[in-house]
Structures are given as structure tokens and as C-alpha cells.
Amino acid sequence: MRGRYRFRQLHSRGFCSRSLKIQKPIDISFGNPNNPNPTPSKKTPTQKWRYMNRLSNASDSEIVKLNMEITTQMRNGRCEAALRVFNTMPRRSSVSSNAMISGYLANGKFDNAKDLFEKMPERDLVSWNVMLSGYVRNRDLGAARALFERMPERDVVSWNAILSGYAQNGYVDEARKVFEKMPHKNEISWNGLLAAYVQNGRIENARHLFESKEDWQAVSWNCLMGGFVKQKRLVDARHLFDRMPARDEVSWNTMITGYAQNGRMSEARRLFEESPIRDVFAWTAMLSGYVQNGMLDEARRIFDEMPEKNSVSWNAMIAGYVQCKKMDVVMTLFEAMPSKNVSSWNTILTGYAQSGDIDGARKIFDSMPRRDSISWAAIIAGYAQNGFSEEALRLFVEMKRDGERLTRSSFSCALSTCAEVAALELGKQLHGRLAKAGFESGCYVGNALLVMYCKCGCIEEAYDVFQEISEKDVVSWNTMIYGYARHGFGSKALRIFESMKAVGIKPDEVTMVGVLSACSHTGLVDRGRGYFYSMNQEYGITANSKHYTCLIDLLGRAGRLEEAQNLMKTMPFEPDAATWGALLGASRIHGNTELGEKAAKIIFEMEPENAGMYVLLSNLYASSGRWGDVGKMRLKMRDKGVRKVPGYSWIEVQNKIHTFSVGDAIHPEKNNIYAFLEELDLKMKREGYVSSTTLVLHDVEEEEKEHMLKHHSEKLAVAFGILSIPAGRPIRVMKNLRVCEDCHSAIKYISKIVGRTIILRDSNRFHHFSEGSCSCGDYW
């Protein structure tokens, strides 16, 4: 008795339904005498006998009641309770089975619905239509079409179901064929095809269909008008609006929203004031329009005047202040908001992340009562964009463990983070998950994959991804062009450029920067000059500072310093620090100290804290033996508080990032690394290697200079890679600064001695070392 009493206590508190979940197979067989009720009953034997006796003599009205009970149980999500009623019915009609099938489909139990349908002794038209709609909702169009063909009879509902299936999944031409074959069409048929055309951007087809019929309902007028608005064809939308025989709230709101979203706020305001009914959606459309067009004061006035506000109104106003980074006002509004939804929290979270307050963003994220995929993507992007790459990747893994659905946005953010830190193995794992999720063929995620492989030194894998992107946009082409350029394969970059033009993709400003960079990295001077001077005439692109900097860099590297200076004088705008930096870099390569000093002086005036330029000029002085000037530069940096960015290199081994600095004494394998480097040094010298001691910015003995060069961070990382990564696999090393000439020379020798391919990414480009040579051809 104590046990029974305790069980009732638990049941009354709700523990039974939540905790004691016993999964058993469900028998949906018809009239099984051996198992009339697979779900245990709590009735006593006497109660069961009376119940079954009553059912056996049930009238038609009682069967109707039982059918209604099935429907009620299914609407409340109680599938097992509905099944108990169904299995105890003395006789069943197709109505009983249809109620069960509809209930299963409504509750996401497609397999149960399918099994019951196949076991039905008799099916009526409703049964077929219900199951057909189930296949359509489950997006199994092949099975839906097969079922449609099996149907002994069809009505307009059947035809509309299969038409809707094709339309909703983007198969517009198939939907049109179904429409043309329909023996009878109703408003749902016409509206279904019209909506399919509009939703898939085939607005002219939608217009022709609309003009072929006169008695359209208001929903159809609104649908076509919404299509015109979506394509920013406001003249056509307004013409349709003016022709409408009767307008409802949706008609007015669609037109107001169209004007507002396209910055035509005066027309939106005029229409808003003419509207006979200004509901909360009309007010919110005006508010959102002002926010989107940066008119925050007008937006706030509308917000304060609104007779009724919904969550969209509050979120729009908060988003306006977020865009202006007025986070104090944002929090005041947020706290006053009567009902906060996940979108409200996401807006605040994004605001803190984008303003660089990652601690504030994390505090909001941890406080959220509920998170969705957008919340996770926002915090991951916040960490990634603020330089906390490892935490961003850790959160991505945590998101997966938390069971949140991985979206295109979260995948893209994680891939971008992998690209920044060159976490290739994790990037490959993400690629595998993308393939399973079916995301990899789209250009949004495909472009992120493309960038990841390019930045991780896998240019061949990047090209494979590029080939698999089903619909390449201009970003896809630009990424591939710039990828080949940075890897030193200028000719391949230019071939991609020619292919881009051949398929009808128009180059933009970014394209031409990539093309000119490809020419600069490989010394294609004449081709680079040709592209620069023809891009305005051929593609309508006016050269900006980046294009001029690329050409000056191209001329400077080739030793045409005078031509580079003359080009700077004819620029339609003042050269910026990057342009002068290109000239300073060329001066260092060719030992032109006078020009280098001139360029450096101007750069120091523009960017007095640019440490890289101080180092470049110091290198130029050191190579000329002007040690006094090197010392002066060091003092000048100290007086201005300019600190040289410390160089470090990193390499990924077994999903772990290993970071090295010059003369590293922390790494646990340091003894093995230094011993191996000593062996390599002896072998390199036998092969003819000579240290580039002129690069050392200290006036010390040659032996000391050699020792200082020997333990640069990239050499340590390469040595660790050779010791740790199995033979046959390339060694990929990343460096935050430009690789020095001595390391570049040494790694060429190392690649030949150990017979390994070594790929080094520095701050400027990639170097592929193999068999004693580099892909850059020493032109860098």
C-alpha cells in the first residue's frame, strides 16, 4: 500500500510523464485479437469488461464520438492515448484511420502515419490526400509523386498538394506542368503557382500568369506586389497597388515597407498618412525604414508616438541604437521592454560584440534564458572578430555538444576562424560536417571553405572546393584569383581571371586588386601595366589607392623605381602610407637608401606608430653598413613609444597549435629541436648555404650574427614539424611577420636535405618550398 500511495504522489507531481519514459514498439494492426490494446490499462478486470461490452454495442453516434476523441488527443500531442482509443474501437471507418494518420503527421511521426496508411484495408480519397500531403510536408517529392500516380481517383485537393510540393521546393517548371494538366483549378491552384513564381524570383512569369486571369483575390494582388517590392521594382509595385479593386492592411503595409526599405521615406510617410488603417505593422514598417536609413531621431519619434508596440517594434528601435553603438541607450530600452524574446537578446549580444566589448557580450550570452543558432553565431563571431580565435573555436565545439543546430552562419564563422589561425585539421572536420549537412555546394559556405583552404596553404584543395560550388558569385572568383596570387601562382590566377570573364561574371574593384597582386608577386610587369590602364575602359572600374599601390609595388619590385615615383606624382589623390610603404619596400630590395629615407620620412608623418616601417628602414641601413643610423632608429622608436611587433611562428600538429618565438626556451621539445637544427645547419653549409648576416640589426661579430639567425621562430617551427609530422605529408608553418631572407634561403636547403614539402605563410604571401626551390622564384 505504501508503494501504491508513493506512486500516486509521484504521478500527481508530474514525475511519471517526465521521468518514467518507457519506450515500447507500437502495434497499429487492425483488429488483432491477441493484442487488442498494446498500451497497459489501469482499469480493473470488471471495468475492462464493462467498457468492452459497451463498445461492442456502440452506435454510430458513439463511433463518431470516439473519432472526435482521437482527433482531440492528437491535437494535444497525446499520440499514445489516441492509439489506445483507436485499438479498442469495435469497428473503424476510414474516418478513424484518417484521424490517426493526420494526427501522426501533425505530431511529426511520419513513419507511424506511413505504416498505418499501408495497413488500411480500405482507403477513401481523404486517406490518399492526407498521406500525399504528408509526403509533401516531409519533402519526399519522389515518393509523393509515386503515391499521386497510384491514386485510384484524384480531386482538386490532390492536384493542389502535388503542385504545392513542387512549388515550395523550387521546382517551378514541374509545378507549372502539374498546373497545366489539372482538369479543374480553384483559387488555391492559381495562387499556388503565382506564389511559386514570386518566391523563386520569376517575376515576369508571375506577371504573365496574373494578367491571364481577372478575378484575383486580394491575397494574390498582394503576393505579386510583394514580389515587385522584393526586386525593388517600386514603380511596378505602385502601379499594381493603384489598380487594386480593394486594398487590405497587407496591401498598404507592403507598399509602405517597399518605399521605406529602399530609402524613399517621403513616399512611405505620405502613404502611411493616407492609409485608412494604421496597424502596428504599418507603424513598425515606418520605424524600421527610418532605422535602416540612419534617421534615428525620426525613428525614435515614431516609436514614442506608436499607440501599440510589439516585439518587432522594440527590436527595431534597439537595433537602431546598436548600429550607432549607443549601448547605454540600448540597455535602457532593453530593460524597459515588456516582453523580451530571443531576437531582443540577440540584438543586444550582437551590439556588444560588434562594438568590441566582448566581456559585455559574454555576460549577455550567459544571461540569456534561451539561445538559438543566431545567439551562438553572434558570440562566436564576436570572439573571432576581436582576436580570440581559440575561444571562438571552443564555443563552436560547445555549440555542437549543446545540440544546437549548426547553421550556414555558424559554419562560416568557424571556418573563417580556422583560416585565421590556420587550424587545418579542424577546418577539414568542419568540411566533412558541411558535406553531411548539404551546405557545401552553396556559394555562402563554399566561399568560407575556399578562404579556409587558401589561408591554410592548401591551394589545390581550395581549387577543388571552387569547382564544386554550384553557383559561383564574384566573391568565389575573387577569392580563387587572390588565393593563387598569394601562393605565387600568378599565371594560374590570370587564367582564372580569363575564365571568370568567359562565363560572363563582371570583374569588380576587388578582382582587379587580385589580378594586379598576381602580376606583382610573379614579376609580370607588362601584363600588370596593361590590366591597370585598361580596367576603366573595359570594365568601368576607376583605379583607387589599392590599385595604384599594387602597380607601384609591381614596378618597384622590378627595379623600375623612377617609373614608380612618376606614377605616384600623377595619382589623382595623395598617396597614402601603404603606397609609400610599397616604395620603401622596393628601395630596401634594390638598396636605394636615399629613396627609402624619403619614403620613410613621409610614412612616419602619416603613421608615427607604424613599427614595420621603422624596421624596414633599419634593414636598409644595416644592409648598407650604416650602424649609427640603425642605432638612431632604435632610439627614435624608443622615444616615440613605438614597439616592434614580436615575430612568432606556429604550426598545427595533431589538432594542437604549437607557437614559437625567436630563441624559444619554453617548448617541451626544445632540446630535440635545437639539436636537430644543429645537424641541419652542418648539412646546409655542406650544400653551400651561407647565412645572410647583413640582416641582423646589431653591430656584432659575424659568428654571433649567425647564431642569432639560426634560431628564428620559423626555423624552430619547421624543425618541429619535420620531427613530428609523418613523412609524405606537407609541413605548414604560419608567421605573423614577413619571413626574413635568411630563413627563406635556409628553408630552401632544408626542403632538399629532408625531402619534404614545406609551406610557409607569412604576413604577405605563401612560399611553397620543395627540392631546394620556392614557388616565389625568389621574387618577393
Side-chain angles (χ1 to χ4, degrees):
M1 290 297 291
R2 283 197 301 272
R4 181 178 299 176
Y5 175 72
R6 180 59 179 157
F7 181 80
R8 287 176 180 169
Q9 279 186 320
L10 287 171
H11 190 274
S12 67
R13 293 177 187 172
F15 283 97
C16 254
S17 60
R18 294 185 178 90
S19 302
L20 305 176
K21 294 184 179 178
I22 302 173
Q23 298 295 330
K24 292 188 176 182
I26 299 174
D27 184 359
I28 55 172
S29 56
F30 285 80
N32 184 348
N34 299 320
N35 189 15
N37 182 11
T39 308
S41 172
K42 298 176 184 177
K43 296 182 177 67
T44 65
T46 302
Q47 288 174 323
K48 287 182 182 179
W49 180 83
R50 288 175 179 169
Y51 182 68
M52 293 301 295
N53 188 55
R54 180 172 64 83
L55 286 178
S56 62
N57 297 304
S59 63
D60 288 345
S61 61
E62 286 180 292
I63 296 298
V64 170
K65 288 180 181 178
L66 291 172
N67 288 340
M68 291 177 64
E69 186 177 350
I70 290 173
T71 302
T72 301
Q73 298 287 7
M74 285 294 192
R75 281 176 181 168
N76 291 312
R78 303 191 188 103
C79 298
E80 291 188 6
L83 181 62
R84 280 199 295 272
V85 175
F86 182 76
N87 279 339
T88 54
M89 293 179 71
R91 48 191 180 84
R92 305 176 188 122
S93 64
S94 59
V95 175
S96 314
S97 301
N98 293 343
M100 286 294 297
I101 293 171
S102 297
Y104 278 138
L105 292 173
N107 285 283
K109 296 181 179 291
F110 178 79
D111 290 337
N112 293 34
K114 180 181 175 183
D115 291 343
L116 180 54
F117 176 79
E118 294 299 336
K119 292 177 181 178
M120 285 178 68
E122 292 183 10
R123 308 182 187 103
D124 59 14
L125 184 57
V126 175
S127 314
W128 288 93
N129 284 340
V130 168
M131 199 62 227
L132 179 62
S133 298
Y135 276 115
V136 167
R137 272 186 286 177
N138 208 45
R139 295 195 169 189
D140 192 346
L141 296 185
R145 187 60 191 239
L147 189 74
F148 180 78
E149 298 295 343
R150 283 170 54 199
M151 292 178 69
E153 61 173 320
R154 307 179 189 118
D155 61 3
V156 69
V157 175
S158 321
W159 285 93
N160 285 342
I162 197 70
L163 186 151
S164 174
Y166 284 127
Q168 291 173 6
N169 288 279
Y171 299 104
V172 185
D173 292 330
E174 287 79 357
R176 177 74 198 208
K177 291 174 185 176
V178 170
F179 180 81
E180 291 172 348
K181 290 180 181 178
M182 291 179 69
H184 302 287
K185 303 176 181 69
N186 59 13
E187 286 298 321
I188 295 174
S189 318
W190 286 90
N191 287 336
L193 185 60
L194 182 70
Y197 280 138
V198 170
Q199 289 167 6
N200 288 276
R202 295 170 59 167
I203 198 69
E204 286 305 316
N205 293 117
R207 185 210 286 268
H208 290 319
L209 181 69
F210 191 83
E211 298 298 342
S212 69
K213 183 174 175 290
E214 293 184 355
D215 54 337
W216 290 94
Q217 297 175 342
V219 66
S220 307
W221 287 83
N222 292 337
C223 177
L224 182 58
M225 184 167 60
F228 283 130
V229 166
K230 188 176 181 180
Q231 294 198 0
K232 299 184 179 182
R233 294 170 58 171
L234 297 184
V235 174
D236 292 319
R238 184 56 189 262
H239 179 65
L240 204 64
F241 177 81
D242 292 337
R243 283 174 51 200
M244 289 183 71
R247 305 183 188 108
D248 58 12
E249 293 94 329
V250 176
S251 316
W252 288 91
N253 293 346
T254 300
M255 203 63 239
I256 291 169
T257 300
Y259 281 133
Q261 288 180 344
N262 288 278
R264 296 168 62 172
M265 293 307 301
S266 57
E267 290 99 323
R269 181 75 198 194
R270 194 178 305 118
L271 210 59
F272 175 75
E273 292 173 349
E274 291 175 10
S275 178
I277 303 175
R278 296 179 202 162
D279 60 11
V280 67
F281 301 104
W283 284 90
T284 303
M286 289 298 299
L287 169 63
S288 299
Y290 282 128
V291 167
Q292 289 171 13
N293 289 283
M295 304 166 72
L296 202 58
D297 292 338
E298 289 85 346
R300 185 57 190 258
R301 181 177 54 78
I302 286 286
F303 181 78
D304 292 337
E305 290 177 5
M306 290 179 71
E308 176 192 359
K309 302 178 182 74
N310 60 14
S311 60
V312 179
S313 320
W314 283 90
N315 289 342
M317 194 67 250
I318 288 172
Y321 284 114
V322 164
Q323 289 172 14
C324 298
K325 292 183 170 54
K326 296 184 177 181
M327 296 307 296
D328 52 342
V329 184
V330 166
M331 288 308 299
T332 302
L333 271 178
F334 182 71
E335 290 168 0
M337 192 174 179
S339 179
K340 303 174 182 70
N341 57 21
V342 70
S343 296
S344 318
W345 287 90
N346 287 342
T347 303
I348 302 289
L349 172 62
T350 303
Y352 276 115
Q354 290 180 348
S355 61
D357 187 355
I358 196 65
D359 291 333
R362 185 55 184 262
K363 193 175 293 184
I364 291 292
F365 181 77
D366 291 337
S367 303
M368 292 179 72
R370 186 175 75 85
R371 302 170 187 147
D372 60 8
S373 57
I374 297 173
S375 319
W376 284 94
I379 191 67
I380 291 169
Y383 274 109
Q385 291 164 7
N386 286 281
F388 301 98
S389 300
E390 290 184 16
E391 181 64 14
L393 293 177
R394 192 189 66 77
L395 277 169
F396 180 81
V397 174
E398 186 179 327
M399 174 187 180
K400 187 171 63 173
R401 289 175 183 162
D402 201 45
E404 187 59 56
R405 185 175 66 89
L406 299 175
T407 62
R408 285 179 171 84
S409 178
S410 57
F411 268 121
S412 296
C413 184
L415 286 168
S416 298
T417 307
C418 289
E420 290 306 313
V421 299
L424 178 61
E425 293 306 316
L426 179 57
K428 286 182 176 180
Q429 292 173 27
L430 291 175
H431 189 177
R433 291 187 63 84
L434 279 167
K436 289 181 181 179
F439 288 157
E440 65 173 342
S441 61
C443 68
Y444 181 68
V445 172
N447 289 343
L449 265 176
L450 190 54
V451 171
M452 187 274 292
Y453 279 120
C454 281
K455 287 192 172 183
C456 288
C458 303
I459 194 66
E460 293 180 1
E461 288 86 344
Y463 184 69
D464 290 339
V465 170
F466 176 75
Q467 292 286 73
E468 291 170 6
I469 298 175
S470 54
E471 294 184 9
K472 302 174 184 66
D473 61 6
V474 68
V475 176
S476 314
W477 291 93
N478 289 350
T479 304
M480 199 66 243
I481 290 169
Y482 199 72
Y484 272 132
R486 282 200 69 189
H487 281 263
F489 303 115
S491 298
K492 290 184 178 180
L494 297 182
R495 280 202 294 271
I496 292 290
F497 176 59
E498 296 301 328
S499 299
M500 175 185 183
K501 294 189 293 181
V503 298
I505 302 293
K506 185 180 179 181
D508 61 10
E509 293 178 354
V510 178
T511 314
M512 298 313 298
V513 170
V515 168
L516 293 172
S517 295
C519 294
S520 178
H521 285 310
T522 45
L524 301 173
V525 180
D526 293 335
R527 291 190 70 176
R529 291 174 76 258
Y531 284 128
F532 179 85
Y533 289 111
S534 65
M535 66 183 185
N536 184 277
Q537 183 178 355
E538 291 190 21
Y539 317 119
I541 298 171
T542 301
N544 59 30
S545 61
K546 290 184 179 179
H547 300 120
Y548 275 96
T549 299
C550 284
L551 184 56
I552 288 166
D553 184 59
L554 170 64
L555 294 171
R557 286 173 185 273
R560 301 186 184 183
L561 297 177
E562 185 177 351
E563 188 177 347
Q565 290 182 80
N566 291 334
L567 178 63
M568 288 180 69
K569 293 175 183 177
T570 61
M571 287 171 61
F573 35 74
E574 287 298 316
D576 58 14
T579 309
W580 282 107
L583 195 62
L584 174 57
S587 301
R588 187 192 64 81
I589 293 171
H590 298 286
N592 191 325
T593 308
E594 182 181 350
L595 181 58
E597 285 180 320
K598 176 184 175 182
K601 182 180 178 180
I602 296 172
I603 294 170
F604 295 153
E605 292 174 358
M606 293 180 174
E607 296 180 352
E609 296 182 357
N610 190 331
M613 296 300 110
Y614 285 92
V615 174
L616 264 180
L617 186 56
S618 295
N619 283 334
L620 184 54
Y621 285 143
S623 62
S624 303
R626 294 170 58 176
W627 297 109
D629 290 323
V630 172
K632 289 178 183 178
M633 291 302 300
R634 193 177 293 117
L635 289 173
K636 189 174 182 180
M637 290 177 69
R638 188 189 66 184
D639 293 343
K640 291 185 174 293
V642 178
R643 290 190 175 183
K644 180 179 179 292
V645 177
Y648 59 90
S649 301
W650 68 97
I651 184 171
E652 183 185 10
V653 177
Q654 295 181 347
N655 286 334
K656 185 177 180 181
I657 304 294
H658 297 260
T659 305
F660 298 88
S661 58
V662 61
D664 196 293
I666 299 174
H667 196 277
E669 295 292 323
K670 62 180 183 298
N671 292 334
N672 292 334
I673 294 170
Y674 285 127
F676 183 58
L677 276 177
E678 289 297 328
E679 292 179 21
L680 284 176
D681 190 56
L682 292 173
K683 292 178 181 178
M684 287 191 295
K685 286 179 177 177
R686 283 199 292 266
E687 292 287 333
Y689 162 72
V690 178
S691 298
S692 302
T693 53
T694 55
L695 299 172
V696 177
L697 301 182
H698 297 277
D699 189 10
V700 295
E701 296 296 329
E702 287 295 307
E703 186 177 346
E704 178 64 19
K705 289 181 180 180
E706 285 188 19
H707 183 74
M708 294 172 72
L709 290 170
K710 193 182 298 182
H711 298 151
H712 275 193
S713 64
E714 52 264 59
K715 289 176 183 170
L716 297 174
V718 167
F720 178 68
I722 295 169
L723 292 171
S724 307
I725 297 173
R729 293 177 59 186
I731 295 160
R732 292 183 171 85
V733 172
M734 311 295 152
K735 184 176 172 63
N736 67 323
L737 304 176
R738 287 193 66 181
V739 60
C740 78
E741 291 179 19
D742 181 72
C743 286
H744 188 271
S745 175
I747 296 172
K748 285 196 298 182
Y749 281 98
I750 291 172
S751 69
K752 181 179 180 181
I753 291 167
V754 299
R756 303 289 294 269
T757 296
I758 302 169
I759 301 170
L760 173 65
R761 184 186 91 184
D762 67 11
S763 61
N764 194 46
R765 62 176 299 161
F766 279 87
H767 300 268
H768 293 245
F769 299 93
S770 180
E771 296 296 325
S773 63
C774 179
S775 59
C776 72
D778 296 338
Y779 190 87
W780 59 284

